[in-house]
Amino acid sequence: MRRAIVLLSGLWVWMFFTVAPATADQIVIGQYASLTGAIANFGKYTDLGVQLAVMERNEKGGIDGKQIVLRTYDTRGQQTDAKSAVTRLITQDKAVAILGEVASSLSIAGAQVCQENGVPMVTPSSTNPDVTAIGNMIFRVCYTDDLQGLYAAKFAVEKGWKTAAILYDRKQAYSVGLRDGFTDAFTDHGGKIILEQAFSSGDTDFSAQLTAIRNAKPDVIFCPSYYNDLGNILRQSKKMGIDLPYLGGDGWTDVESVTPADVLVNCYYVNHWDPGDTSTQESRTFIERSKARFPNDNFNVWSALGYDAANILFDAIDRADSTDGKKIAAELAKVRDFKGVTGTISIDENRNASKPAVILTFKDGKPTYVTSVQP
Ligand code: PHE
């Protein structure tokens, strides 16, 4: 009896701390994602899309007859965790390719490990130009911040906004990159940046920056921030009585989950896709299948990008007929006109994707489609 208990508890400890190794008829794909911390929704929603792609592919027989096993580790939104998650996926789990991250700073950290180990990585949604510049193993299925900055700048010009103040997050590669992308494009199109202010992720008091911005009297405030910080900024801005339009990028996704409707007025942002977009068959099918598989979850742009990234990767491994990193990367580099949920995806010579975008605003606190923009 005693022995049985010791044995059983030993088994439990084993099951808790290790995952069964993949067998010869399986293929391991690694995912690193922010599942906890200040940007936890990035990982939570992306994972839903990735899981859906894995289920569908496995039901159709997997890749080359092998079932896909998805291993996912939490980065907690931290660069050191991103590095160790990717290292573990490659060295311990023997992942043949990696999906992730959402936040550009974390993708940059993880991509370095992938590149050093010759393991291909596809980020669904990191837009900073530096991510794919890390090397020939690193790909993305979304537009870059140069393009996103151009989309935002063109929209600003069309709105008749001639001067802008920028409030950006100095701690995030994403925010710094989008600041630069917007500045270049807005200036090129005759606009003027009259003030630049910075904050750090997690700050809660923005009064100094907002006071400076109010005094500068710009036509628009460009704020490339992630949803949590943005919510705090907009609330404080409203309290200070600042009545200026705000413009931003994809990082705004999900701000409505942390921000009341009366604060989300006169706000516009660029995004990759919107669940309200039912214009393509791919979009409609994705929404239908997501609702059927995960009836208790909301799907959004992160899920759609995760789904596209996973499918593009699975196709590439299939065509490569191999789990060799170089061969998979060579197939990823050949992707042209892939009909994705988030649009038609072609990978260019810099391993980026030029894609259309949508501009959104808020109605009663809910993201609402304004217009589409083409590359
Ligand atoms: N593009 C952001 C980054 O590079 C991540 C993001 C993608 C956020 C899509 C929201 C929606 O960090």
Side-chain angles (χ1 to χ4, degrees):
M1 177 73 181
R2 250 246 207 96
R3 248 181 94 193
I5 290 175
V6 170
L7 257 173
L8 271 177
S9 61
L11 181 69
W12 186 83
V13 168
W14 178 83
M15 290 196 321
F16 193 80
F17 287 107
T18 62
V19 270
T23 58
D25 53 357
Q26 293 178 330
I27 192 162
V28 180
I29 303 292
Q31 176 180 221
Y32 66 121
S34 300
L35 296 169
T36 56
I39 46 176
N41 286 355
F42 284 11
K44 183 188 135 195
Y45 283 94
T46 305
D47 184 48
L48 287 172
V50 171
Q51 277 192 53
L52 181 66
V54 171
M55 284 178 189
E56 289 182 353
R57 188 65 57 132
N58 279 342
E59 280 166 12
K60 283 190 257 161
I63 301 175
D64 286 329
K66 293 183 179 172
Q67 287 287 294
I68 300 163
V69 175
L70 178 69
R71 297 266 159 83
T72 304
Y73 295 132
D74 186 7
T75 64
R76 302 188 305 147
Q78 305 290 332
Q79 288 185 42
T80 43
D81 293 61
K83 266 193 188 301
S84 56
V86 174
T87 304
R88 196 170 155 205
L89 287 166
I90 293 174
T91 57
Q92 181 185 309
D93 297 300
K94 312 282 181 227
V96 303
I98 305 290
L99 289 167
E101 236 271 3
V102 173
S104 288
S105 293
L106 305 181
S107 282
I108 289 169
Q112 283 158 353
V113 181
C114 289
Q115 185 65 33
E116 278 161 23
N117 287 279
V119 173
M121 172 185 127
V122 182
T123 171
S125 41
S126 283
T127 45
N128 185 289
D130 295 346
V131 175
T132 45
I134 285 177
N136 59 356
M137 288 287 140
I138 315 302
F139 298 81
R140 84 178 100 220
V141 301
C142 55
Y143 53 62
T144 65
D145 285 329
D146 290 343
L147 197 51
Q148 175 162 230
L150 176 65
Y151 290 151
K154 278 189 164 171
F155 179 76
V157 170
E158 274 160 29
K159 277 277 190 185
W161 298 328
K162 295 189 169 59
T163 59
I166 298 183
L167 177 56
Y168 75 99
D169 184 345
R170 59 163 82 82
K171 285 278 158 66
Q172 298 291 345
Y174 160 71
S175 193
V176 174
L178 189 49
R179 173 201 69 182
D180 294 345
F182 177 78
T183 299
D184 289 350
F186 191 56
T187 312
D188 274 358
H189 286 78
K192 203 168 168 206
I193 310 292
I194 54 170
L195 181 73
E196 202 178 272
Q197 292 285 300
F199 67 94
S200 298
S201 315
D203 283 357
T204 48
D205 182 10
F206 304 94
S207 50
Q209 294 95 323
L210 290 173
T211 303
I213 289 171
R214 179 166 56 194
N215 293 341
K217 298 192 174 65
D219 293 335
V220 60
I221 304 172
F222 184 68
C223 186
S225 161
Y226 290 150
Y227 64 98
N228 252 325
D229 296 316
L230 180 71
N232 290 332
I233 290 167
L234 293 178
R235 267 196 302 273
Q236 192 162 9
S237 175
K238 167 116 183 156
K239 248 195 217 128
M240 289 172 64
I242 295 174
D243 186 21
L244 290 167
Y246 273 83
L247 178 64
D250 57 357
W252 282 27
T253 304
D254 213 29
V255 65
E256 66 278 7
S257 73
V258 291
T259 317
D262 68 323
V263 172
L264 294 173
V265 289
N266 211 4
C267 292
Y268 302 87
Y269 66 111
V270 182
N271 213 342
H272 307 259
W273 178 80
D274 179 67
D277 174 10
T278 49
S279 64
T280 68
Q281 186 59 48
E282 287 76 18
S283 261
R284 289 192 295 270
T285 311
F286 172 73
I287 292 162
E288 226 168 77
R289 290 186 190 162
S290 307
K291 282 187 183 153
R293 297 285 176 126
F294 301 102
N296 299 321
D297 289 297
N298 285 322
F299 271 71
N300 69 3
V301 61
W302 292 312
S303 329
L305 286 164
Y307 184 79
D308 283 347
N311 278 319
I312 282 179
L313 176 62
F314 300 160
D315 284 354
I317 302 174
D318 211 348
R319 286 198 308 274
D321 237 338
S322 161
T323 52
D324 178 74
K326 275 207 189 75
K327 290 187 181 152
I328 298 171
E331 290 304 325
L332 283 169
K334 284 184 205 157
V335 172
R336 299 287 180 279
D337 298 324
F338 174 91
K339 292 262 176 288
V341 175
T342 59
T344 301
I345 300 169
S346 295
I347 307 272
D348 67 20
E349 68 279 13
N350 298 316
R351 299 170 301 283
N352 297 324
S354 272
K355 284 166 71 188
V358 290
I359 309 272
L360 304 171
T361 185
F362 299 90
K363 270 212 179 84
D364 303 324
K366 296 267 168 290
T368 311
Y369 175 87
V370 177
T371 182
S372 297
V373 275
Q374 301 298 324

